[in-house]
Amino acid sequence: MTFSLFNRLDNWARNLSPFALTLLMLIIGTMPLHLPYFVPLGTGLAMISVYYWAIHRPGLLPAPAVFAIGLIGDLMGAAPLGVGTLLLLLVYAIALSQRRLFFGQPFLVVWWGFMMTGAGAMSLGWILSSIVGGGALDPRPTIFAYLMTLALYPALGDLFARAQRSFLRSA
Amino acid sequence: MKLRGGSALRLASAKAWLHRGTFALLVGAAFALMVLGKADTPLIERARVTVVDALSPIMEGLARPIASVRQLYENARDFWSLREQNATLKAEQERLLQWQGVARQLQAENDALRDLLKLVPEPNATFVTARVVADNGGAFVRTLLVTAGLREGVRKGSAAMTGEGLVGRVAEVGEHSARVLLLSDINSRIPVAIERTRDQAIMAGDNSDNPRLLYLPHGIALVPGDRIVTSTAGGAFPPGLPIGIVRSIDDGVATVQLFVEWDRLEYLRLVDYKLPGVLQSGAGKLQ
């Protein structure tokens, strides 16, 4: 009885890991690292995580969970309220609908998919933030954040793949 | 068998519809949030404060090791340039001693003149120093989270400063955290004055590192390098807090080079000047 309860708890915790990792990415992305030329990437890092899990384990990161993460990020101030939430939902929807195209493909194809999805999401984010802010934002920080997110994808993708192998092998 | 396959298919398509419905609902909710955020309701503010208060201990815990690694690196770097720094500091100290004399003389003169004019004394400012735990200086917004809130005496509208000058103002205060809206955020509008001419303007952020000056008086001859300081208009800040210098003037649009170094913000001084600013609703009742 206790064993099965522990089993269930263990399973539950493992299944929660995509959500927890995405939330962790969001928090790490807003931390002041004080590195020269580095801009905080709160929503960007969460975007990588959402893209990865939508392709590899969409069942463990349902749309309401993505919404919750986006909302927490927006309330923390990573993006104007609602904008970050919408971007994450958009990335999720694109990745999920093109899942068959990307699943089991070589890494470069998946990365290329993220390049396209991210470009669309960041442009939309720029447009929406400008509308909400009531004036055109300087596009340079957005482009810079996009390029940096793109550059971080291989490292984080690898990290998530490792996490998937070690936590979710049996699940 | 055929029937069962058909019902399974129907069930699957019903599930897909349900998924699509949920998704549409969530997208709709995101748009609703945008409108709500724009309306700046107290409900949203309370939600922000709650989330930030809940997450700030985690962020502080994560930020500490990073800060110590950075400290180690800076110590090592400083060690190599000790001799050079010593010489520079000695020269600077001599120069500052001279300025100290001048400042004392001016203070005495100022006191005497205030006495003559029977000027109403300004209330004393209070301040707290807080660690920066989250930096959202990213693609779409420019805000910081710091680890001091109502409990430490931070008030909405307090000025956020570093040794170099003004950084922004406190936009929201939680129990033990606060959110600082930086001067470079698109929502930031600060009344400023050009120190040389005492002309007033509004400094507006656009998410770049160099905010613009709006509503400059006609016929004013700005020169790159002119110092920009706060002005008392709107009652948000005391006069004369350093902000930056005029960087360039193109087609009548002046941009400002801020004094603050964005990538070195570790601690902020949150100063409450006890001004009845436009930001503090009900400030009169509190005092």
Side-chain angles (χ1 to χ4, degrees), chain A residues 38-136:
Chain A
F38 187 86
V39 290
L41 295 171
T43 318
L45 291 192
M47 218 181 260
I48 294 178
S49 189
V50 166
Y51 179 81
Y52 182 91
W53 294 110
I55 289 176
H56 294 94
R57 281 304 176 87
L60 296 183
L61 194 70
V66 175
F67 181 85
I69 289 166
L71 182 59
I72 292 172
D74 288 351
L75 289 175
M76 270 168 63
L81 193 70
V83 175
T85 315
L86 192 72
L87 294 195
L88 291 188
L89 282 174
L90 181 76
V91 168
Y92 182 74
I94 294 175
L96 200 60
S97 66
Q98 304 303 315
R99 201 175 158 231
R100 294 233 174 96
L101 201 70
F102 294 136
F103 194 79
Q105 291 294 315
F107 172 75
L108 277 178
V109 176
V110 183
W111 195 13
W112 173 84
F114 182 73
M115 193 167 103
M116 293 295 150
T117 314
M122 287 305 245
S123 319
L124 183 70
W126 182 81
I127 293 169
L128 289 175
S129 303
S130 296
I131 293 172
V132 171

Side-chain angles (χ1 to χ4, degrees), chain A residues 139-161:
Chain A
R140 280 170 301 179
T142 311
I143 295 168
F144 198 61
Y146 167 63
L147 292 178
M148 203 167 264
T149 309
L150 208 58
L152 282 174
Y153 186 84
L156 287 175
D158 184 59
L159 186 85
F160 294 145

Side-chain angles (χ1 to χ4, degrees), chain A residues 30-31 34 40 74 132 138, chain B residues 38 48 66 135-136 206 208 265:
Chain A
T30 61
M31 273 172 32
H34 302 297
D74 288 351
V132 171
D138 187 2
Chain B
K38 189 80 187 129
R48 274 188 193 282
I66 292 176
D135 181 348
N136 291 312
D206 63 351
S208 70
L265 287 179

